[in-house]
Amino acid sequence: MDSPTDPPRAGTLYVVATPIGHLQDITLRALEVLGAVDLIAAEDTRKTAQLLARHGIATPRASYHEHNEARRTPELLERLRRGASIALVSNAGTPGISDPGFRLTSAAAEAGIRIVPVPGPSAAAAALSASGLPTDAFVFLGFLSKKSGKRRDQIKALATEGRTVIIYESPRRIRALIAELQEALGDRRAVLAREMTKLHEEFLRGRLSALQAALTDRADIKGECTLLLAGAQAPSLPPREALAEEIRRALASEPRSLPELARELAQRHGLPKKAVYAAAMQIKTEKIPTTD
Ligand code: SAM
């Protein structure tokens, strides 16, 4: 198998990440690939031209954006089939992450064309990495729907989401988003990452109410915003004695298996079944005395 570090090869689609702000955030390999491919498919050819000019790269470009991707995809695919090497770039960060790219990568994958990632910045990973919120598991939602009903459902679904949530939002709507989240999910911890890697980079950390208060004082919110929301806390078990009493009564009134009982109690209290089962098992083996 070819090594992904080989020089650009014929008939290959390279998915190349570019800076999200700071122009030096581009990898050596990205520059090498961009300089060597036959064509760069760019979301905005003028914006990409600035980046390429800075690095003395004169590779031909074609536009590939949300308004022409349906038409352009078969054309690019045909060039790849005929042996061209193409680099796909978006305006910022990683193509396909809330940016055009998926249509082309899925068509290329279907056609058996080799696709090579050239990884680099993405606002989601940058924001998460510096947020101070748990990074072990996370959910990336991109931009929430602009349709109010669907948006409400997307937010409601986060009520039981235990992982850190990453959302992209425009500065114009960031205050409304924070208000919607607080209203539906309570005053969770959150982080607003604004203008990362740029001159006015800012991380606001605190409860949603504190973020809102900090933004309310501002006449205008500018720049690019990524919002991170702490996951929901796992619901805690009812006091041990209360649970013990409930388990004892249930077992005495109607002999049942422990898993069955745990399922019923977990449902009644909205608790994880595993945790209730473990508690019940412990209580049963300890033979906690009755209070009757
Ligand atoms: N493909 C990009 C990536 O990999 O991150 C995302 C493109 S999406 C159209 C642009 C959104 O990403 C912005 O509206 C903002 O939510 C987020 N974003 C991009 N650059 C950012 C930055 N420097 N600071 C904070 N958020 C940023």
Side-chain angles (χ1 to χ4, degrees):
M1 196 154 146
D2 303 310
S3 154
T5 53
D6 282 349
R9 277 175 39 103
T12 300
L13 174 65
Y14 293 87
V15 184
V16 182
T18 57
I20 57 167
H22 199 301
L23 285 177
Q24 283 177 318
D25 288 338
I26 183 143
T27 67
L28 297 175
R29 183 169 166 234
L31 293 175
E32 193 179 75
V33 168
L34 292 173
V37 288
D38 297 310
L39 180 75
I40 298 173
E43 185 180 6
D44 180 341
T45 48
R46 273 176 307 176
K47 185 150 198 264
T48 298
Q50 290 166 13
L51 177 72
L52 299 180
R54 198 186 156 97
H55 298 284
I57 295 171
T59 306
R61 289 138 230 165
S63 70
Y64 184 79
H65 47 67
E66 59 174 332
H67 303 295
N68 72 2
E69 59 180 336
R71 174 163 52 83
R72 269 289 151 82
T73 297
E75 293 169 15
L76 293 174
L77 214 55
E78 191 45 36
R79 290 195 63 167
L80 286 162
R81 274 206 192 93
R82 284 207 238 113
S85 57
I86 298 180
L88 174 68
V89 299
S90 63
N91 282 352
T94 303
I97 310 294
S98 296
D99 262 346
F102 166 67
R103 215 186 265 258
L104 183 58
T105 52
S106 75
E110 186 120 329
I113 285 164
R114 186 167 177 252
I115 309 171
V116 173
V118 183
S122 184
L128 180 68
S129 70
S131 67
L133 294 176
T135 53
D136 54 338
F138 58 91
V139 186
F140 173 65
L141 297 183
F143 292 95
L144 296 184
S145 173
K146 289 203 173 71
K147 294 186 184 141
S148 61
K150 181 149 187 232
R151 191 177 167 88
R152 225 184 354 260
D153 290 345
Q154 287 175 312
I155 292 176
K156 244 198 253 162
L158 298 177
T160 53
E161 177 55 72
R163 296 165 290 186
T164 300
V165 180
I166 307 172
I167 302 173
Y168 287 163
E169 188 53 285
S170 76
R172 209 165 26 85
R173 296 159 57 99
I174 193 72
R175 280 195 270 235
L177 172 67
I178 293 172
E180 286 170 296
L181 291 172
Q182 194 184 339
E183 160 94 28
L185 308 172
D187 204 6
R188 284 215 202 152
R189 282 198 305 147
V191 175
L192 174 62
R194 201 176 61 81
E195 290 288 83
M196 285 181 294
T197 78
K198 303 185 198 178
L199 188 61
H200 298 292
E201 176 179 278
E202 175 182 49
F203 277 80
L204 288 176
R205 299 181 176 86
R207 299 265 160 202
L208 286 166
S209 58
L211 264 52
Q212 193 68 284
L215 296 177
T216 306
D217 292 342
R218 301 186 189 180
D220 197 9
I221 303 164
K222 292 203 181 89
E224 302 199 84
C225 296
T226 298
L227 188 81
L228 300 102
L229 186 70
Q233 298 281 317
S236 53
L237 291 171
R240 195 172 181 287
E241 283 315 308
L243 189 65
E245 184 62 16
E246 211 169 334
I247 289 167
R248 191 195 50 72
R249 274 181 203 282
L251 286 173
S253 67
E254 190 190 335
R256 259 177 303 171
S257 74
L258 220 51
E260 213 181 321
L261 181 63
R263 193 178 324 118
E264 187 191 303
L265 289 179
Q267 239 168 32
R268 189 179 310 155
H269 294 292
L271 295 167
K273 199 182 120 200
K274 252 188 179 167
V276 178
Y277 179 79
M281 178 67 115
Q282 206 186 3
I283 287 158
K284 197 179 173 193
T285 49
E286 281 171 7
K287 294 198 174 44
I288 287 178
T290 82
T291 51
D292 292 334

